[in-house]
Amino acid sequence: MKWKSKPSLVKFMAGASAVAMGATAPAALAQDTDEETVTVADDENVIIVSGIRASLQNALNIKRNAQGVVDAISAEDIGKFPDTNLAESLQRITGVSIDRDNGEGARVTVRGFGPEFNLVTLNGRQMPTSSLGDGASPPSSRSFDFGNLASEAVAAVEVYKTGRATVNSGGIGSTINIITPRPLSDPGMKGSIAVKGVYDKSQNGDTDITPEVSGIFSTTFMDDRVGIALTGSYQKRKSGFNQYFSDWRDGYLGCGSGFENEWGAIPCDPNNDWRGAYNLQTNRPGANDVYAVPQNGSYNVSDITRERINGQAVLQAELIDGLTATVDYTFSQNTVDVRQSSVGVWFNHVTTSSEFTDGPVTSPVFYSENFGPFPSDLAYSGSLTNNRSINKSLGFNLEWEATDGLTWILDYHNSSAESKPTLPYGSNMSVGTAVFGVQEQRIDFTSYLPVISYVNAPGIDSNDPSLRFATGNAFRNATFRDDIEQVQLKGRWEADLGFLDSLDFGVSYIENKVQSAFGFIQNDTWGGLGTAADIPDDIFFEINVPEAFRGLEGANDPNIIQSFYGFDFERMVDLLENQFGICSNPATGSSIGGTCLAEQTTDRRITEKTISPYLEAAFSFGSANLITGLRYENTTVDSRALTLIPDATAWVAANEFNLSFSPDRDFSRIKGSYDFWLPNIDFDIEPVQDVVVRASYSHTIARPTYDNLQGGRTFNPLFRQDGGTGQQGNPGLLPYKSENFDISAEWYYAPASYISVGYFRKNVKNFIGVGGIQVQVPGIYQPYNGARANEARAALGQNAPIGAIRDYIFNNFPGSTVVQDADNDGVPDRDTNGFIIGRIIGDASDPLLTFDVSLPVNSDQTATLDGWEFAIQHNFWETGFGAILNYTIVNGDATFDNSQPYNVTQFALVGLSDSANAVLFYDKGPLQARVAWNWRDDFLAGYSQNPTNPFYRDEYWQIDASASYEFDFGLTVFVEAINITGENLKGYRRSEDTTFFAFRGAPRYAGGVRFSF
């Protein structure tokens, strides 16, 4: 059964895809129209199936006619992509899985390789990327951010899983090409406008319905030789992100191993331990068991507001027969505001009690600490992140059909991406408050949501706002900018020489300029700032913990913290600035006058230039096709960095040490270069009708991330009694290189239906690991290990608490007490408890502070990854029902051994996991409906070095659904639901009991109308 629909809708999408494919690969895109069109009369339009089935047919055609392994997603109609988020659409492709930020698809993993190993291009162009992350590092991925582009402006997305000489290098997992519409691909006037409301149940407190508006318009004139296309969208979304979080001190070997005396290690014999009866350890780890203890634990409740604006304008003109010019401008702006309120505990690992699971990898069932006569604090912090990312791209394309068989394409674009703060506080800020009155604190890890509880000291209510002190605070001001200028000259000769079909040749030149700058101001007044009376009670608001984490096991535990108080962030900052000058007169750093914007004292810049000539030939031998190509990559890297130089140390609290920095700084410069030859061979044959067998071999590279390349040495402002830490980049890094093998078989047994099975194998080298050097800076001393501290330990005992050692120095070395006097007027800027300065005082000398500086290095490690991909797409005759099923198996030979302690260096592949999708759809007449299930198994998400500690993401699945009904006059009403069952997500360390994070998932609903013409 067929029905009338607008032929322009499907033609427009297929045409747009064909134009973009012409700039990247010579795949044919002729539609298999046997089931899609019929002619009913000479004076009537063609009857065409649109919607889900047409989208699947277009994607199938790309897959079937491409050389190598290529998958695709095509828009269902003009302005209608299958999912509201491009990443969430891509997860439907075999071998593709995603990570989520704030419950929404954000990062793509292909065949086990995460976003840093996948290159995302826009219409065949390498685009800049920008984000701020932690504020101190450039993005960990070079790929264009899916969150910056509205799906309504996308015609198709192609995923190249095998290397091609004609495709931009940079992805060893895949190259993902986003295609946007072009007006001359389908002459005439057409368009679509959609309005919808989004209801996100993850919101805290009152829930709002937020708007989304999008539209696309395309028309041609002057005998269809000139055309314009305009797309635009506006989206405002509110959501919540509520998470438990713990840092861990893990990787210790158990009692009897010789690790007992390290900070954080549990006491093994309470009878011989100076801490005495407070230490009650049950089922202590044995000598060969590896265990972990929590460093802290917190409940974090976040409110997120995101506003996204997208727009694209395209002007095309056929200047003369065979010569077409295209000018396009793309703009996107994404503003994200995250306000977080937290309550948490910090363990000093002194008088602890715990119970452990059985080994060899063991973790605490619970962990608690009793502070005896010296109560600790319950920390309540507030943080604010408000940043804006702006992407701009101006492009020019000239396509000339010089002869019947020769086509030239000249393509140029100048694109930028920039992220910066939008508020006068910086890009990432945190302000602490605390009540000093916790007698005992405990975390129970037996439930999905770990249960934090505490016992108040006599006469103290830790949840009483009137007892709150302001404590430490930090303001980070970061900016990031990436500018890419690229020119590509491409030629294609359609040969008529028997077995030689075509010859593709060309060259690409890219100049990529990256700048990452940041500065911070900080006050390490964690022991309290002023008095509790300095902060008015009405600045606080109550947050119900069981309600914030509803649905998670453990949220209704009667022992859990029942509530805590957040605060008005802006009002709190203004109050503390007026009373204590936290911004205008900070302990560390300096601010721009009249703001809390820190002066940017670290400035890192990279200039990367790449030239890439290539040649590729296509041959045919009856039912067989062969493509072979070679691409040459030559890259130079020039890195300059302006960083702070430390000039003094201070012991500011019992377990807090910090650096101060000199105002003097200068640029340093480091260079690097590399070149690679990247061959590819793709073979396919159709041994019987509708069965295609493929084999591919290629070399691909993925360049190091910007944070690894940037030069310059930075020192962390906080250090511990065992020394300081720092980081340094390495512009001389080589890219990852992968040798790829693929073989697959596909059976296209019916229109829009197929079965495929494929095997892939990747041999990867040039992995980037962490190296280290030890650095000492003249004049930078460690007060904890000097003669003053040694005298204190001789008097108090070698195991004396760190706070007691500090007090002894104050009492016996009065010259060590220093109050802050930043303006040198002889008057303290504010009351302090005094700092102990690292120095040489007579015979009481302090040793130089040793910094462990980490830097990325290419390791000699190699790894092999292989796997299987299975897929079936089936339409159930003329019922309108169809199904898509796929399953991916991924294996690697470099895995993490959790039974090894933290001081054993390891190498492992991250992101490897099996994944699966199941989609059931209905598309007949005016009604469309779809239900999709996506699953990803647990996987190693990453690991640190020095110490070596892993973290994993738990198994995750979710169900999404959508439905629409189209009326005769082009009006469609639709509804969508994401994560219908509200699935939650958990991360853990060496064992599933060591919860790293756990957050509450929630469904998101949308409904609206779309009008197409």
Side-chain angles (χ1 to χ4, degrees):
M1 180 178 179
K2 296 178 173 64
W3 61 94
K4 284 191 176 183
S5 181
K6 298 178 180 61
S8 61
L9 301 184
V10 174
K11 287 182 180 178
F12 187 80
M13 295 299 103
S17 183
V19 169
M21 286 285 285
T24 56
L29 294 180
Q31 280 188 285
D32 180 0
T33 59
D34 293 344
E35 292 296 319
E36 296 300 315
T37 66
V38 295
T39 302
V40 294
D42 291 340
D43 57 348
E44 291 188 16
N45 289 331
V46 176
I47 299 175
I48 295 181
V49 175
S50 62
I52 295 174
R53 287 195 291 167
S55 170
L56 296 177
Q57 182 66 59
N58 291 340
L60 179 149
N61 289 337
I62 294 174
K63 179 180 181 68
R64 180 171 183 170
N65 295 308
Q67 281 75 41
V69 181
V70 181
D71 285 290
I73 299 174
S74 179
E76 296 174 9
D77 294 306
I78 185 170
K80 175 62 176 73
F81 210 66
D83 291 273
T84 59
N85 178 288
L86 292 181
E88 290 172 352
S89 285
L90 284 170
Q91 71 178 329
R92 316 294 180 202
I93 289 179
T94 311
V96 179
S97 52
I98 65 172
D99 289 337
R100 292 171 171 82
D101 279 341
N102 307 325
E104 189 172 357
R107 297 174 301 278
V108 173
T109 294
V110 181
R111 292 177 163 181
F113 285 99
E116 66 271 27
F117 299 103
N118 297 290
L119 179 67
V120 180
T121 61
L122 183 65
N123 295 319
R125 298 165 175 168
Q126 182 174 327
M127 302 299 290
T129 186
S130 180
S131 66
L132 291 178
D134 63 4
S137 301
S140 60
S141 171
R142 291 170 173 257
S143 291
F144 183 73
D145 188 352
F146 290 103
N148 287 330
L149 193 64
S151 61
E152 291 84 357
V154 175
V157 179
E158 304 156 337
V159 180
Y160 292 85
K161 297 179 181 177
T162 54
R164 295 290 300 276
T166 56
V167 176
N168 282 305
S169 66
I172 62 175
S174 69
T175 297
I176 301 170
N177 187 37
I178 302 171
I179 300 169
T180 57
R182 295 291 184 259
L184 293 188
S185 300
D186 184 25
M189 181 184 296
K190 59 197 64 67
S192 171
I193 186 169
V195 178
K196 68 178 175 180
V198 178
Y199 173 67
D200 194 327
K201 290 197 69 176
S202 68
Q203 296 177 71
N204 297 300
D206 296 334
T207 53
D208 297 329
I209 296 177
T210 54
E212 293 187 17
V213 181
S214 62
I216 180 171
F217 172 79
S218 176
T219 188
T220 57
F221 43 91
M222 296 182 65
D223 296 328
D224 297 328
R225 297 178 72 94
V226 179
I228 60 171
L230 301 172
T231 63
S233 69
Y234 172 82
Q235 178 190 88
K236 187 171 185 179
R237 180 168 296 172
K238 289 188 176 182
S239 60
F241 184 74
N242 301 339
Q243 175 182 254
Y244 168 88
F245 179 82
S246 270
D247 279 317
W248 288 84
R249 299 188 62 82
D250 54 350
Y252 291 121
L253 288 177
C255 296
S257 65
F259 280 67
E260 294 88 345
N261 294 324
E262 298 204 18
W263 187 59
I266 61 171
C268 292
D269 185 357
N271 296 321
N272 295 324
D273 190 273
W274 67 272
R275 291 164 288 193
Y278 285 122
N279 290 282
L280 303 173
Q281 316 298 331
T282 301
N283 197 30
R284 290 182 179 85
N288 295 318
D289 293 341
V290 174
Y291 71 93
V293 296
Q295 180 59 77
N296 53 37
S298 64
Y299 296 131
N300 310 305
V301 177
S302 301
D303 296 300
I304 303 168
T305 301
R306 190 189 72 188
E307 183 181 59
R308 185 174 66 189
I309 301 171
N310 272 186
Q312 185 178 68
V314 182
L315 172 63
Q316 277 192 301
E318 188 177 359
L319 304 177
I320 58 175
D321 290 346
L323 181 62
T324 302
T326 304
V327 178
D328 57 88
Y329 178 76
T330 303
F331 173 86
S332 68
Q333 176 179 292
N334 198 19
T335 306
V336 181
D337 180 291
V338 181
R339 296 170 182 269
Q340 184 180 95
S341 300
S342 303
V343 59
V345 296
W346 176 275
F347 292 100
N348 290 326
H349 307 299
V350 180
T351 53
T352 61
S353 299
S354 58
E355 179 181 348
F356 281 81
T357 61
D358 294 332
V361 179
T362 177
S363 58
V365 176
F366 76 88
Y367 191 83
S368 68
E369 186 164 16
N370 192 306
F371 297 101
F374 304 104
S376 184
D377 63 300
L378 189 65
Y380 302 90
S381 65
S383 64
L384 173 61
T385 301
N386 191 299
N387 298 311
R388 175 171 293 158
S389 295
I390 297 177
N391 296 263
K392 301 175 184 178
S393 178
L394 177 63
F396 174 77
N397 182 280
L398 191 64
E399 183 174 352
W400 178 36
E401 296 180 10
T403 66
D404 287 342
L406 179 62
T407 300
W408 291 94
I409 296 175
L410 176 65
D411 189 88
Y412 169 83
H413 76 100
N414 191 322
S415 305
S416 66
E418 184 177 23
S419 295
K420 57 185 177 182
T422 59
L423 296 177
Y425 306 103
S427 52
N428 186 294
M429 300 73 68
S430 179
V431 173
T433 66
V435 174
F436 296 91
V438 172
Q439 180 76 57
E440 183 178 355
Q441 59 193 24
R442 173 186 173 116
I443 305 179
D444 188 322
F445 295 98
T446 57
S447 55
Y448 189 94
L449 176 71
V451 175
I452 304 175
S453 59
Y454 62 88
V455 175
N456 287 312
I460 298 293
D461 180 0
S462 293
N463 209 30
D464 183 352
S466 67
L467 299 180
R468 281 198 176 190
F469 285 76
T471 58
N473 48 75
F475 299 79
R476 187 177 295 276
N477 177 25
T479 57
F480 181 85
R481 184 177 176 92
D482 185 5
D483 291 274
I484 290 182
E485 193 169 10
Q486 179 181 17
V487 59
Q488 301 177 81
L489 178 62
K490 304 180 180 183
R492 180 175 175 81
W493 179 41
E494 298 284 354
D496 189 13
L497 301 176
F499 62 88
L500 177 62
D501 282 347
S502 63
L503 198 63
D504 286 89
F505 47 89
V507 63
S508 168
Y509 174 78
I510 299 175
E511 184 175 85
N512 185 10
K513 294 183 177 180
V514 176
Q515 181 182 19
S516 172
F518 71 91
F520 63 91
I521 54 177
Q522 187 161 314
N523 297 280
D524 296 311
T525 49
W526 305 110
L529 179 61
T531 68
D534 293 327
I535 306 176
D537 293 351
D538 64 356
I539 202 172
F540 300 105
F541 55 87
E542 188 173 11
I543 297 172
N544 186 295
V545 173
E547 172 63 20
F549 293 92
R550 60 190 181 277
L552 294 185
E553 180 197 9
N556 292 323
D557 190 301
N559 296 315
I560 198 170
I561 295 175
Q562 293 298 305
S563 66
F564 68 98
Y565 284 87
F567 52 82
D568 182 325
F569 188 89
E570 288 92 339
R571 184 182 169 193
M572 178 70 80
V573 171
D574 291 344
L575 185 151
L576 297 180
E577 165 61 17
N578 291 334
Q579 292 191 38
F580 305 108
I582 62 170
C583 294
S584 57
N585 192 24
T588 302
S590 59
S591 62
I592 299 172
T595 72
C596 289
L597 291 170
E599 295 277 2
Q600 292 187 331
T601 51
T602 296
D603 187 341
R604 302 179 177 122
R605 304 179 186 185
I606 302 170
T607 299
E608 185 181 69
K609 298 178 180 180
T610 299
I611 186 167
S612 309
Y614 68 87
L615 177 67
E616 188 172 85
F619 305 89
S620 62
F621 311 90
S623 61
N625 300 285
L626 175 69
I627 287 184
T628 181
L630 183 65
R631 188 180 184 96
Y632 175 70
E633 296 279 330
N634 183 279
T635 299
T636 59
V637 182
D638 186 347
S639 176
R640 297 189 300 145
L642 181 71
T643 58
L644 285 172
I645 302 171
D647 64 358
T649 60
W651 189 350
V652 299
N655 195 33
E656 299 289 342
F657 304 81
N658 72 352
L659 296 173
S660 61
F661 296 90
S662 168
D664 299 326
R665 55 191 188 277
D666 196 4
F667 275 100
S668 60
R669 189 174 189 177
I670 312 174
K671 294 184 178 182
S673 64
Y674 54 84
D675 64 304
F676 286 91
W677 294 93
L678 305 176
N680 72 276
I681 301 174
D682 297 291
F683 175 79
D684 66 78
I685 187 171
E686 191 170 353
V688 297
Q689 186 176 0
D690 297 325
V691 174
V692 179
V693 177
R694 305 180 191 275
S696 294
Y697 173 82
S698 64
H699 287 191
T700 51
I701 60 174
R703 291 179 172 82
T705 56
Y706 298 134
D707 54 340
N708 283 325
L709 287 178
Q710 61 186 10
R713 181 182 297 163
T714 59
F715 298 102
N716 295 326
L718 296 179
F719 63 95
R720 295 295 183 191
Q721 57 264 44
D722 56 354
T725 56
Q727 300 82 34
Q728 180 177 313
N730 183 1
L733 288 171
L734 296 176
Y736 305 88
K737 184 178 180 182
S738 177
E739 183 183 28
N740 313 300
F741 305 86
D742 284 83
I743 186 169
S744 65
E746 303 149 12
W747 177 29
Y748 299 91
Y749 59 89
S753 298
Y754 73 92
I755 296 175
S756 72
V757 59
Y759 172 79
F760 61 90
R761 180 184 179 93
K762 296 177 179 289
N763 299 325
V764 186
K765 65 179 182 179
N766 294 342
F767 279 95
I768 297 174
V770 179
I773 56 176
Q774 288 195 329
V775 175
Q776 291 181 333
V777 179
I780 305 303
Y781 302 103
Q782 168 59 288
Y784 180 74
N785 292 330
R788 294 172 295 177
N790 291 336
E791 181 179 317
R793 279 185 280 271
L796 302 174
Q798 290 300 313
N799 293 320
I802 187 172
I805 296 173
R806 184 172 181 270
D807 290 341
Y808 182 94
I809 295 175
F810 272 125
N811 294 331
N812 293 275
F813 295 89
S816 296
T817 302
V818 178
V819 295
Q820 187 170 358
D821 181 16
D823 52 8
N824 297 313
D825 62 357
V827 179
D829 296 318
R830 61 175 183 268
D831 292 335
T832 70
N833 293 325
F835 297 160
I836 297 175
I837 304 299
R839 62 175 67 185
I840 297 178
I841 305 176
D843 294 331
S845 60
D846 293 331
L848 288 175
L849 175 63
T850 298
F851 296 90
D852 288 320
V853 177
S854 61
L855 74 162
V857 294
N858 287 114
S859 71
D860 57 1
Q861 298 282 358
T862 61
T864 298
L865 176 150
D866 68 344
W868 292 87
E869 295 178 337
F870 306 92
I872 180 171
Q873 179 176 298
H874 182 71
N875 282 271
F876 294 96
W877 308 284
E878 294 298 322
T879 64
F881 284 100
I884 304 171
L885 304 172
N886 60 59
Y887 183 75
T888 303
I889 300 171
V890 182
N891 299 299
D893 64 355
T895 59
F896 197 93
D897 184 354
N898 291 319
S899 66
Q900 296 296 318
Y902 72 91
N903 62 338
V904 175
T905 301
Q906 297 194 52
F907 168 73
L909 290 170
V910 301
L912 304 190
S913 66
D914 296 347
S915 60
N917 290 280
V919 180
L920 178 66
F921 64 86
Y922 178 83
D923 181 6
K924 191 170 186 179
L927 179 63
Q928 294 184 31
R930 181 198 327 250
V931 177
W933 175 80
N934 172 257
W935 168 81
R936 184 178 186 182
D937 205 356
D938 57 353
F939 63 96
L940 176 67
Y943 60 94
S944 63
Q945 295 281 16
N946 302 321
T948 305
N949 286 318
F951 64 94
Y952 298 83
R953 283 183 181 263
D954 208 354
E955 173 188 22
Y956 180 82
W957 60 267
Q958 75 174 40
I959 298 175
D960 308 326
S962 62
S964 65
Y965 187 91
E966 182 178 2
F967 296 92
D968 290 338
F969 47 87
L971 182 68
T972 300
V973 296
F974 59 89
V975 292
E976 302 163 346
I978 306 296
N979 193 14
I980 295 174
T981 57
E983 296 304 310
N984 311 303
L985 184 60
K986 179 179 179 179
Y988 55 92
R989 302 304 291 252
R990 292 176 184 264
S991 78
E992 293 189 29
D993 298 314
T994 52
T995 301
F996 182 38
F997 69 83
F999 75 77
R1000 182 180 69 87
R1004 184 173 75 244
Y1005 304 104
V1009 296
R1010 179 183 300 105
F1011 177 70
S1012 301
F1013 58 90

